Every structure is written in structure tokens, then in C-alpha cells.
Coordinates of all heavy atoms in Angstrom, one line a residue:
I174 N -47.6 -167.1 -24.1 CA -48.1 -166.2 -23.1 C -48.1 -166.9 -21.8 O -47.7 -166.2 -20.8 CB -49.5 -165.7 -23.5 CG1 -49.4 -164.8 -24.7 CG2 -50.1 -164.9 -22.3 CD1 -50.8 -164.4 -25.3
Q175 N -48.5 -168.1 -21.7 CA -48.6 -168.8 -20.4 C -47.2 -168.8 -19.6 O -47.2 -168.7 -18.4 CB -49.1 -170.2 -20.6 CG -49.3 -171.0 -19.3 CD -48.1 -171.7 -18.8 OE1 -47.3 -172.1 -19.5 NE2 -48.1 -171.8 -17.5
A176 N -46.1 -168.8 -20.4 CA -44.8 -168.8 -19.7 C -44.5 -167.5 -19.0 O -43.6 -167.5 -18.2 CB -43.7 -169.2 -20.7
Q177 N -45.3 -166.5 -19.3 CA -45.0 -165.1 -18.8 C -46.0 -164.7 -17.8 O -45.7 -163.7 -17.1 CB -45.0 -164.1 -20.0 CG -43.9 -164.5 -21.0 CD -44.1 -163.6 -22.2 OE1 -44.7 -162.5 -22.2 NE2 -43.6 -164.0 -23.4
L178 N -47.1 -165.3 -17.6 CA -48.2 -164.9 -16.7 C -48.6 -165.9 -15.7 O -48.5 -167.1 -15.9 CB -49.4 -164.5 -17.6 CG -49.2 -163.5 -18.7 CD1 -50.5 -163.4 -19.5 CD2 -48.9 -162.1 -18.1
V179 N -49.2 -165.4 -14.6 CA -49.9 -166.3 -13.7 C -51.4 -166.1 -14.1 O -51.9 -164.9 -14.2 CB -49.6 -165.9 -12.2 CG1 -50.6 -166.6 -11.3 CG2 -48.2 -166.1 -11.9
Q180 N -52.0 -167.2 -14.4 CA -53.4 -167.1 -14.8 C -54.3 -167.6 -13.6 O -53.9 -168.5 -12.9 CB -53.7 -168.0 -16.0 CG -52.9 -167.5 -17.2 CD -53.2 -168.4 -18.4 OE1 -54.3 -168.6 -18.8 NE2 -52.1 -168.9 -19.0
K181 N -55.5 -167.0 -13.5 CA -56.4 -167.4 -12.4 C -57.8 -167.6 -13.0 O -58.2 -166.9 -13.9 CB -56.4 -166.4 -11.3 CG -55.1 -166.2 -10.6 CD -55.2 -165.1 -9.5 CE -53.9 -164.9 -8.9 NZ -53.9 -163.8 -7.9
A182 N -58.5 -168.5 -12.4 CA -59.9 -168.7 -12.8 C -60.7 -169.0 -11.5 O -60.2 -169.6 -10.6 CB -60.1 -169.9 -13.7
L183 N -61.9 -168.4 -11.5 CA -62.8 -168.6 -10.4 C -64.1 -169.1 -10.9 O -64.7 -168.6 -11.8 CB -63.0 -167.2 -9.7 CG -63.8 -167.2 -8.4 CD1 -62.9 -167.8 -7.3 CD2 -64.1 -165.7 -8.1
V184 N -64.6 -170.2 -10.2 CA -65.8 -170.9 -10.6 C -66.7 -170.9 -9.4 O -66.4 -171.6 -8.4 CB -65.6 -172.3 -11.2 CG1 -66.9 -173.0 -11.5 CG2 -64.7 -172.3 -12.4
A185 N -67.8 -170.2 -9.5 CA -68.8 -170.2 -8.4 C -69.8 -171.3 -8.7 O -70.5 -171.3 -9.8 CB -69.5 -168.9 -8.2
I186 N -70.0 -172.2 -7.8 CA -71.0 -173.3 -8.0 C -72.4 -172.8 -7.6 O -72.6 -172.4 -6.5 CB -70.6 -174.6 -7.1 CG1 -69.1 -175.0 -7.5 CG2 -71.5 -175.7 -7.4 CD1 -68.8 -175.3 -8.9
T187 N -73.3 -173.0 -8.6 CA -74.7 -172.4 -8.4 C -75.7 -173.5 -8.2 O -76.8 -173.3 -7.9 CB -75.1 -171.5 -9.5 OG1 -75.0 -172.2 -10.7 CG2 -74.1 -170.3 -9.6
A188 N -75.3 -174.8 -8.5 CA -76.2 -175.9 -8.4 C -75.4 -177.1 -8.0 O -74.2 -177.1 -8.1 CB -76.9 -176.2 -9.7
D189 N -76.0 -178.2 -7.4 CA -75.3 -179.4 -7.0 C -74.5 -179.9 -8.2 O -75.0 -180.0 -9.3 CB -76.3 -180.4 -6.5 CG -77.0 -180.1 -5.2 OD1 -76.3 -179.3 -4.4 OD2 -78.1 -180.5 -4.9
V190 N -73.3 -180.4 -7.9 CA -72.5 -181.0 -8.9 C -72.1 -182.4 -8.3 O -71.5 -182.4 -7.2 CB -71.2 -180.2 -9.2 CG1 -70.3 -180.9 -10.2 CG2 -71.6 -178.8 -9.8
N191 N -72.4 -183.5 -9.0 CA -72.0 -184.8 -8.5 C -70.5 -185.0 -8.6 O -69.9 -184.4 -9.4 CB -72.8 -185.9 -9.3 CG -74.3 -185.8 -9.1 OD1 -74.7 -185.5 -8.0 ND2 -75.0 -186.2 -10.1
A192 N -70.0 -185.9 -7.8 CA -68.6 -186.4 -7.9 C -68.4 -186.9 -9.3 O -69.3 -187.4 -10.0 CB -68.3 -187.4 -6.9
D193 N -67.1 -186.8 -9.8 CA -66.7 -187.3 -11.1 C -67.4 -186.7 -12.2 O -67.7 -187.4 -13.3 CB -66.8 -188.9 -11.1 CG -66.0 -189.5 -10.0 OD1 -64.8 -189.1 -9.8 OD2 -66.5 -190.4 -9.3
T194 N -67.8 -185.4 -12.1 CA -68.5 -184.7 -13.2 C -67.5 -183.7 -13.7 O -66.8 -183.0 -12.9 CB -69.7 -184.0 -12.7 OG1 -70.6 -185.0 -12.1 CG2 -70.4 -183.2 -13.7
D195 N -67.4 -183.5 -15.1 CA -66.5 -182.5 -15.6 C -66.9 -181.1 -15.2 O -68.1 -180.8 -15.2 CB -66.6 -182.5 -17.2 CG -65.6 -183.5 -17.8 OD1 -64.8 -184.1 -17.1 OD2 -65.6 -183.5 -19.0
I196 N -65.9 -180.3 -14.8 CA -66.1 -178.9 -14.4 C -65.2 -178.1 -15.3 O -64.0 -178.3 -15.3 CB -65.8 -178.7 -12.9 CG1 -66.8 -179.5 -12.1 CG2 -65.9 -177.2 -12.6 CD1 -66.4 -179.5 -10.6
D197 N -65.7 -177.1 -16.0 CA -64.9 -176.3 -16.9 C -64.4 -175.1 -16.0 O -65.1 -174.4 -15.4 CB -65.8 -175.7 -18.0 CG -65.0 -174.9 -19.0 OD1 -63.8 -174.7 -18.8 OD2 -65.6 -174.5 -20.0
L198 N -63.0 -175.0 -16.0 CA -62.4 -174.0 -15.2 C -62.4 -172.6 -15.8 O -62.0 -171.6 -15.2 CB -60.9 -174.4 -14.9 CG -60.8 -175.6 -14.0 CD1 -59.3 -175.9 -13.8 CD2 -61.5 -175.4 -12.6
T199 N -62.9 -172.5 -17.0 CA -63.1 -171.3 -17.7 C -61.9 -170.4 -18.1 O -61.9 -169.2 -18.2 CB -64.2 -170.4 -17.0 OG1 -63.6 -169.9 -15.8 CG2 -65.5 -171.1 -16.7
F200 N -60.7 -171.1 -18.2 CA -59.5 -170.4 -18.6 C -59.8 -170.0 -20.1 O -60.4 -170.7 -20.9 CB -58.3 -171.3 -18.6 CG -57.7 -171.3 -17.2 CD1 -57.9 -172.4 -16.4 CD2 -56.9 -170.3 -16.7 CE1 -57.3 -172.5 -15.1 CE2 -56.4 -170.3 -15.5 CZ -56.5 -171.4 -14.7
G201 N -59.2 -168.8 -20.4 CA -59.3 -168.3 -21.8 C -58.7 -169.3 -22.8 O -59.3 -169.6 -23.8
T202 N -57.6 -169.9 -22.5 CA -57.0 -170.9 -23.3 C -56.9 -172.2 -22.5 O -55.9 -172.3 -21.7 CB -55.6 -170.5 -23.8 OG1 -55.7 -169.3 -24.5 CG2 -55.0 -171.5 -24.8
D203 N -57.9 -173.1 -22.6 CA -57.9 -174.2 -21.8 C -56.7 -175.1 -21.9 O -56.3 -175.8 -20.9 CB -59.2 -175.1 -22.1 CG -60.5 -174.3 -21.7 OD1 -60.4 -173.5 -20.7 OD2 -61.5 -174.6 -22.2
A204 N -56.1 -175.2 -23.0 CA -54.9 -176.0 -23.2 C -53.7 -175.6 -22.3 O -52.9 -176.4 -21.9 CB -54.4 -176.0 -24.7
D205 N -53.7 -174.3 -21.9 CA -52.6 -173.9 -21.0 C -52.7 -174.7 -19.7 O -51.7 -175.1 -19.2 CB -52.8 -172.4 -20.7 CG -52.3 -171.5 -21.8 OD1 -51.7 -172.0 -22.8 OD2 -52.5 -170.3 -21.7
W206 N -53.9 -174.8 -19.1 CA -54.1 -175.6 -17.9 C -53.8 -177.0 -18.1 O -53.0 -177.6 -17.3 CB -55.6 -175.4 -17.4 CG -55.9 -176.2 -16.2 CD1 -56.4 -177.5 -16.2 CD2 -55.6 -175.9 -14.8 NE1 -56.6 -177.9 -14.9 CE2 -56.1 -177.0 -14.1 CE3 -55.1 -174.8 -14.2 CZ2 -56.0 -177.0 -12.7 CZ3 -55.0 -174.8 -12.8 CH2 -55.4 -175.9 -12.1
T207 N -54.4 -177.6 -19.1 CA -54.2 -179.1 -19.4 C -52.8 -179.4 -19.7 O -52.3 -180.5 -19.2 CB -55.1 -179.5 -20.5 OG1 -56.5 -179.1 -20.2 CG2 -55.1 -181.0 -20.8
D208 N -52.1 -178.6 -20.4 CA -50.7 -179.0 -20.9 C -49.6 -178.6 -19.8 O -48.5 -178.9 -20.0 CB -50.4 -178.3 -22.2 CG -51.3 -178.9 -23.3 OD1 -51.8 -180.0 -23.2 OD2 -51.4 -178.2 -24.4
A209 N -50.0 -177.8 -18.8 CA -49.0 -177.4 -17.8 C -48.5 -178.5 -17.0 O -49.2 -179.5 -16.8 CB -49.6 -176.3 -16.9
D210 N -47.3 -178.3 -16.5 CA -46.7 -179.3 -15.5 C -47.6 -179.2 -14.2 O -48.0 -178.2 -13.8 CB -45.3 -178.8 -15.2 CG -44.6 -179.8 -14.3 OD1 -44.7 -179.7 -13.1 OD2 -43.9 -180.7 -14.8
P211 N -47.8 -180.4 -13.6 CA -48.6 -180.4 -12.4 C -48.1 -179.5 -11.3 O -48.9 -179.0 -10.5 CB -48.6 -181.9 -12.0 CG -48.4 -182.6 -13.2 CD -47.5 -181.8 -14.1
A212 N -46.8 -179.2 -11.3 CA -46.3 -178.3 -10.3 C -46.7 -176.9 -10.5 O -46.6 -176.0 -9.6 CB -44.8 -178.4 -10.2
Q213 N -47.2 -176.6 -11.7 CA -47.7 -175.2 -12.0 C -49.1 -175.0 -11.6 O -49.6 -173.9 -11.6 CB -47.5 -174.9 -13.5 CG -46.0 -174.9 -13.9 CD -46.0 -174.7 -15.4 OE1 -45.8 -175.7 -16.1 NE2 -46.1 -173.5 -15.9
R214 N -49.9 -176.1 -11.4 CA -51.3 -176.0 -11.2 C -51.7 -176.1 -9.7 O -51.2 -177.0 -9.0 CB -52.1 -177.1 -11.9 CG -51.9 -177.0 -13.4 CD -52.7 -178.1 -14.1 NE -52.3 -179.4 -13.8 CZ -52.0 -180.3 -14.7 NH1 -52.1 -180.1 -16.0 NH2 -51.6 -181.5 -14.4
E215 N -52.6 -175.2 -9.3 CA -53.1 -175.3 -7.9 C -54.6 -175.1 -8.1 O -55.1 -174.3 -8.8 CB -52.6 -174.1 -7.1 CG -51.1 -174.2 -6.8 CD -50.6 -173.0 -6.1 OE1 -51.4 -172.2 -5.5 OE2 -49.4 -172.8 -6.0
L216 N -55.3 -175.9 -7.3 CA -56.8 -175.9 -7.3 C -57.2 -175.8 -5.8 O -56.8 -176.6 -5.0 CB -57.4 -177.1 -7.9 CG -58.9 -177.1 -8.1 CD1 -59.4 -176.0 -9.0 CD2 -59.4 -178.4 -8.5
Y217 N -58.1 -174.8 -5.5 CA -58.6 -174.6 -4.2 C -60.1 -174.7 -4.2 O -60.8 -174.2 -5.1 CB -58.2 -173.2 -3.7 CG -56.7 -172.9 -3.5 CD1 -55.9 -172.6 -4.6 CD2 -56.1 -173.1 -2.3 CE1 -54.6 -172.4 -4.5 CE2 -54.7 -172.9 -2.2 CZ -54.0 -172.5 -3.3 OH -52.6 -172.3 -3.1
L218 N -60.6 -175.3 -3.1 CA -62.1 -175.3 -2.9 C -62.4 -174.6 -1.6 O -61.9 -175.0 -0.6 CB -62.6 -176.7 -2.9 CG -64.1 -176.9 -2.5 CD1 -65.0 -176.2 -3.5 CD2 -64.4 -178.3 -2.3
N219 N -63.1 -173.5 -1.7 CA -63.4 -172.7 -0.5 C -62.1 -172.3 0.3 O -62.1 -172.4 1.5 CB -64.4 -173.4 0.3 CG -65.7 -173.6 -0.4 OD1 -66.1 -172.8 -1.3 ND2 -66.4 -174.7 -0.1
G220 N -61.0 -172.1 -0.4 CA -59.8 -171.7 0.2 C -58.9 -172.8 0.6 O -57.7 -172.6 1.0
Q221 N -59.3 -174.1 0.5 CA -58.5 -175.3 0.8 C -57.8 -175.8 -0.4 O -58.5 -176.2 -1.4 CB -59.4 -176.3 1.5 CG -58.7 -177.6 1.8 CD -57.8 -177.4 3.0 OE1 -58.1 -176.8 4.0 NE2 -56.6 -178.0 3.0
L222 N -56.5 -176.0 -0.3 CA -55.7 -176.5 -1.4 C -56.1 -178.0 -1.6 O -56.1 -178.7 -0.6 CB -54.2 -176.4 -1.2 CG -53.3 -176.9 -2.2 CD1 -53.5 -176.2 -3.6 CD2 -51.8 -176.8 -1.8
L223 N -56.4 -178.4 -2.9 CA -56.7 -179.8 -3.2 C -55.6 -180.5 -3.8 O -54.8 -179.9 -4.5 CB -57.9 -179.8 -4.1 CG -59.2 -179.1 -3.6 CD1 -60.3 -179.2 -4.6 CD2 -59.7 -179.7 -2.3
A224 N -55.5 -181.8 -3.6 CA -54.4 -182.6 -4.1 C -54.8 -183.2 -5.5 O -55.9 -183.7 -5.7 CB -54.1 -183.8 -3.2
E225 N -53.9 -183.1 -6.5 CA -54.1 -183.6 -7.8 C -53.7 -185.0 -8.0 O -52.6 -185.4 -7.6 CB -53.4 -182.7 -8.8 CG -53.5 -183.2 -10.3 CD -52.8 -182.3 -11.3 OE1 -52.1 -181.4 -10.9 OE2 -52.9 -182.6 -12.5
G226 N -54.6 -185.8 -8.6 CA -54.3 -187.2 -9.0 C -54.3 -187.3 -10.5 O -54.8 -186.5 -11.2
A227 N -53.7 -188.4 -11.0 CA -53.6 -188.7 -12.4 C -55.0 -189.1 -13.0 O -55.3 -188.9 -14.1 CB -52.6 -189.7 -12.7
N228 N -55.8 -189.8 -12.1 CA -57.1 -190.3 -12.5 C -57.9 -190.6 -11.3 O -57.4 -190.4 -10.2 CB -56.9 -191.5 -13.4 CG -56.1 -192.6 -12.8 OD1 -56.2 -192.9 -11.6 ND2 -55.1 -193.1 -13.5
S229 N -59.1 -191.2 -11.5 CA -60.0 -191.4 -10.3 C -59.4 -192.5 -9.4 O -59.7 -192.5 -8.2 CB -61.4 -191.9 -10.8 OG -61.3 -193.0 -11.6
G230 N -58.6 -193.4 -9.9 CA -58.0 -194.4 -9.1 C -56.9 -194.0 -8.2 O -56.4 -194.7 -7.3
A231 N -56.4 -192.7 -8.3 CA -55.3 -192.2 -7.5 C -55.8 -191.8 -6.1 O -54.9 -191.6 -5.2 CB -54.7 -190.9 -8.2
N232 N -57.1 -191.7 -5.9 CA -57.6 -191.4 -4.6 C -57.1 -190.0 -4.1 O -56.7 -189.9 -2.9 CB -57.4 -192.5 -3.6 CG -58.2 -193.7 -3.9 OD1 -59.3 -193.6 -4.3 ND2 -57.6 -194.9 -3.7
K233 N -57.0 -189.1 -4.9 CA -56.7 -187.7 -4.6 C -58.0 -186.9 -4.7 O -59.0 -187.4 -4.9 CB -55.6 -187.1 -5.5 CG -54.3 -187.9 -5.5 CD -53.6 -187.7 -4.2 CE -52.2 -188.4 -4.2 NZ -51.5 -188.2 -3.0
D234 N -57.9 -185.5 -4.5 CA -59.1 -184.7 -4.5 C -59.6 -184.5 -5.9 O -60.8 -184.4 -6.1 CB -58.8 -183.3 -3.9 CG -58.4 -183.5 -2.4 OD1 -59.1 -184.3 -1.7 OD2 -57.5 -182.7 -2.0
W235 N -58.8 -184.3 -6.9 CA -59.2 -184.0 -8.2 C -58.3 -184.6 -9.2 O -57.2 -185.0 -8.9 CB -59.3 -182.5 -8.5 CG -58.0 -181.7 -8.5 CD1 -57.3 -181.2 -7.4 CD2 -57.3 -181.3 -9.7 NE1 -56.2 -180.6 -7.9 CE2 -56.2 -180.6 -9.2 CE3 -57.5 -181.5 -11.0 CZ2 -55.2 -180.1 -10.1 CZ3 -56.6 -181.0 -11.9 CH2 -55.5 -180.3 -11.4
Y236 N -58.8 -184.7 -10.5 CA -58.0 -185.2 -11.6 C -58.5 -184.6 -12.9 O -59.5 -184.0 -12.9 CB -58.0 -186.7 -11.6 CG -59.4 -187.3 -11.7 CD1 -59.9 -187.7 -12.9 CD2 -60.2 -187.5 -10.5 CE1 -61.2 -188.3 -13.0 CE2 -61.4 -188.0 -10.6 CZ -62.0 -188.4 -11.8 OH -63.2 -189.0 -11.9
P237 N -57.7 -184.7 -14.0 CA -58.1 -184.1 -15.3 C -59.5 -184.6 -15.8 O -59.8 -185.8 -15.6 CB -57.0 -184.5 -16.2 CG -55.8 -184.8 -15.4 CD -56.4 -185.4 -14.1
G238 N -60.2 -183.7 -16.4 CA -61.5 -184.1 -16.9 C -61.4 -184.7 -18.3 O -60.3 -185.0 -18.8
A239 N -62.5 -184.8 -19.0 CA -62.5 -185.4 -20.3 C -62.0 -184.6 -21.5 O -61.6 -185.1 -22.5 CB -64.0 -185.8 -20.6
S240 N -61.8 -183.3 -21.3 CA -61.3 -182.4 -22.3 C -60.5 -181.3 -21.7 O -60.5 -181.1 -20.5 CB -62.4 -181.9 -23.2 OG -63.3 -181.1 -22.5
A241 N -59.8 -180.5 -22.6 CA -58.9 -179.5 -22.1 C -59.6 -178.5 -21.2 O -60.7 -178.1 -21.5 CB -58.3 -178.8 -23.3
G242 N -58.9 -178.1 -20.1 CA -59.4 -177.1 -19.2 C -60.5 -177.6 -18.3 O -61.1 -176.8 -17.5
R243 N -60.8 -178.9 -18.3 CA -61.8 -179.4 -17.4 C -61.1 -180.3 -16.3 O -60.1 -180.9 -16.6 CB -62.8 -180.2 -18.2 CG -63.6 -179.3 -19.1 CD -64.6 -180.1 -19.9 NE -65.3 -179.2 -20.8 CZ -66.4 -178.6 -20.6 NH1 -67.0 -178.7 -19.4 NH2 -67.0 -177.8 -21.4
I244 N -61.8 -180.4 -15.2 CA -61.4 -181.2 -14.1 C -62.5 -182.0 -13.6 O -63.7 -181.7 -13.9 CB -60.8 -180.4 -12.9 CG1 -61.8 -179.5 -12.4 CG2 -59.5 -179.7 -13.3 CD1 -61.6 -179.1 -10.9
K245 N -62.2 -183.1 -12.8 CA -63.2 -183.8 -12.1 C -62.8 -183.9 -10.6 O -61.6 -184.0 -10.3 CB -63.4 -185.2 -12.6 CG -64.0 -185.2 -14.0 CD -64.2 -186.7 -14.5 CE -64.8 -186.6 -15.9 NZ -65.2 -188.0 -16.3
L246 N -63.8 -183.8 -9.7 CA -63.5 -183.9 -8.3 C -64.0 -185.3 -7.8 O -65.0 -185.9 -8.3 CB -64.2 -182.8 -7.5 CG -63.8 -181.4 -7.8 CD1 -64.7 -180.4 -7.2 CD2 -62.4 -181.2 -7.3
E247 N -63.4 -185.8 -6.8 CA -63.7 -187.1 -6.2 C -65.0 -187.0 -5.3 O -65.4 -188.0 -4.8 CB -62.6 -187.7 -5.4 CG -61.4 -188.1 -6.2 CD -61.5 -189.5 -6.8 OE1 -62.4 -190.2 -6.4 OE2 -60.7 -189.8 -7.6
F248 N -65.5 -185.8 -5.1 CA -66.6 -185.6 -4.2 C -67.6 -184.6 -4.8 O -67.2 -183.9 -5.8 CB -66.1 -185.1 -2.8 CG -65.1 -184.0 -2.9 CD1 -65.5 -182.7 -3.1 CD2 -63.8 -184.3 -2.9 CE1 -64.6 -181.7 -3.2 CE2 -62.8 -183.3 -3.0 CZ -63.2 -181.9 -3.2
A249 N -68.8 -184.5 -4.3 CA -69.8 -183.6 -4.8 C -69.6 -182.2 -4.3 O -68.9 -182.0 -3.3 CB -71.2 -184.1 -4.4
L250 N -70.1 -181.3 -5.1 CA -70.1 -179.8 -4.7 C -71.5 -179.4 -4.5 O -72.5 -179.9 -5.0 CB -69.4 -179.0 -5.8 CG -68.0 -179.3 -6.1 CD1 -67.5 -178.5 -7.2 CD2 -67.1 -179.1 -4.9
A251 N -71.7 -178.3 -3.7 CA -73.0 -177.8 -3.4 C -73.0 -176.3 -3.8 O -72.0 -175.6 -3.9 CB -73.3 -177.9 -1.9
P252 N -74.2 -175.7 -4.0 CA -74.3 -174.3 -4.3 C -73.6 -173.5 -3.2 O -73.7 -173.8 -2.0 CB -75.8 -174.0 -4.3 CG -76.4 -175.3 -4.6 CD -75.5 -176.4 -4.0
G253 N -72.8 -172.5 -3.7 CA -72.1 -171.6 -2.8 C -70.6 -172.0 -2.7 O -69.8 -171.2 -2.2
D254 N -70.2 -173.2 -3.1 CA -68.8 -173.6 -3.2 C -68.1 -172.8 -4.2 O -68.7 -172.4 -5.2 CB -68.7 -175.1 -3.5 CG -69.0 -176.0 -2.3 OD1 -68.9 -175.6 -1.2 OD2 -69.3 -177.2 -2.6
I255 N -66.9 -172.5 -3.9 CA -66.0 -171.7 -4.8 C -64.8 -172.4 -5.2 O -64.0 -172.8 -4.3 CB -65.6 -170.3 -4.2 CG1 -66.9 -169.5 -3.8 CG2 -64.7 -169.5 -5.1 CD1 -67.7 -169.0 -4.9
L256 N -64.5 -172.6 -6.5 CA -63.3 -173.2 -7.0 C -62.4 -172.1 -7.5 O -62.9 -171.3 -8.2 CB -63.5 -174.2 -8.1 CG -64.1 -175.6 -7.7 CD1 -64.5 -176.3 -9.0 CD2 -63.1 -176.4 -7.0
Q257 N -61.2 -172.1 -7.1 CA -60.2 -171.2 -7.6 C -59.0 -172.0 -8.2 O -58.4 -172.8 -7.5 CB -59.7 -170.2 -6.6 CG -58.7 -169.2 -7.2 CD -58.2 -168.2 -6.2 OE1 -58.2 -168.4 -5.0 NE2 -57.8 -167.0 -6.6
A258 N -58.7 -171.8 -9.5 CA -57.6 -172.4 -10.1 C -56.5 -171.4 -10.4 O -56.8 -170.3 -10.9 CB -58.1 -173.1 -11.4
I259 N -55.3 -171.8 -10.1 CA -54.2 -170.9 -10.3 C -53.2 -171.7 -11.2 O -52.8 -172.8 -10.9 CB -53.5 -170.4 -9.0 CG1 -54.5 -169.6 -8.2 CG2 -52.2 -169.6 -9.3 CD1 -54.0 -169.3 -6.8
L260 N -52.8 -171.0 -12.3 CA -51.8 -171.6 -13.2 C -50.5 -170.7 -13.1 O -50.6 -169.6 -13.5 CB -52.3 -171.7 -14.6 CG -51.4 -172.3 -15.7 CD1 -50.9 -173.7 -15.3 CD2 -52.0 -172.2 -17.0
R261 N -49.5 -171.2 -12.5 CA -48.3 -170.5 -12.3 C -47.5 -170.4 -13.6 O -47.5 -171.4 -14.4 CB -47.4 -171.1 -11.2 CG -48.1 -171.3 -9.9 CD -47.9 -170.1 -9.0 NE -48.7 -170.3 -7.8 CZ -49.1 -169.3 -7.1 NH1 -48.9 -168.1 -7.4 NH2 -49.8 -169.5 -6.0
A262 N -46.8 -169.3 -13.8 CA -45.9 -169.2 -15.0 C -44.8 -170.3 -14.9 O -44.3 -170.6 -13.9 CB -45.3 -167.8 -15.0
G263 N -44.5 -170.7 -16.1 CA -43.5 -171.8 -16.2 C -42.4 -171.6 -17.1 O -42.3 -170.7 -17.8

């Protein structure tokens, strides 16, 4: 299915989230996000496109979390922040 659709997820932050904390993007099939090619994934914070890194040492905005469909950010989030994840068809 992932090869045929563009999938989107929206996460509204309701409490403080520390840097380097797993955030679930709430995709129906989390493996679609995790297994996708990096060129297919886009992550926005409050409308700003974020750069993906392979891990925390890459010094990018975000990197994969501890399990499928999760990410970690290099910085903290505050209530009212909005994450939007887009998975392009591949």
C-alpha cells in the first residue's frame, strides 16, 4: 500500500518533550515510515522542514527512534508545537 499512497501524520505536542526522547508519529503501519528510503520522508516542525540524520552524532534536526515509527529530535519541544510527517509514495 505504501508504494501507492502518500501518508501523513500530525502530532500536536501537549506537554514539554525533552531532546532525544522517542516521539511516536502515529502512522497506521509504523514500519512504512521506518523502512522507507530517507528521500521519501519529510518531517516538519511548525511548518519548518527538518533535516534527518542517521543518529544523534550526525548533528541534524532529527533521527530514528528506538522502535518503528518513532523519531528523536535534537532539541526540546513545548506545548503547542506541531509535528507533521509526510511519507511520499515510493
Side-chain angles (χ1 to χ4, degrees):
I174 293 175
Q175 186 271 329
Q177 302 171 19
L178 302 173
V179 173
Q180 299 178 55
K181 298 179 183 179
L183 188 69
V184 179
I186 304 302
T187 58
D189 290 333
V190 177
N191 292 329
D193 303 313
T194 300
D195 269 2
I196 299 170
D197 187 355
L198 294 177
T199 69
F200 276 103
T202 305
D203 290 335
D205 284 351
W206 174 266
T207 302
D208 294 342
D210 184 275
Q213 294 174 265
R214 296 186 294 234
E215 295 175 12
L216 184 67
Y217 296 84
L218 175 62
N219 301 327
Q221 178 69 41
L222 179 62
L223 302 178
E225 179 180 0
N228 54 45
S229 62
N232 291 323
K233 300 289 184 178
D234 297 319
W235 70 276
Y236 57 97
S240 60
R243 294 178 182 269
I244 61 153
K245 292 184 178 186
L246 295 169
E247 292 277 350
F248 47 84
L250 298 176
D254 283 336
I255 302 291
L256 283 171
Q257 183 179 24
I259 299 174
L260 180 57
R261 304 268 177 209

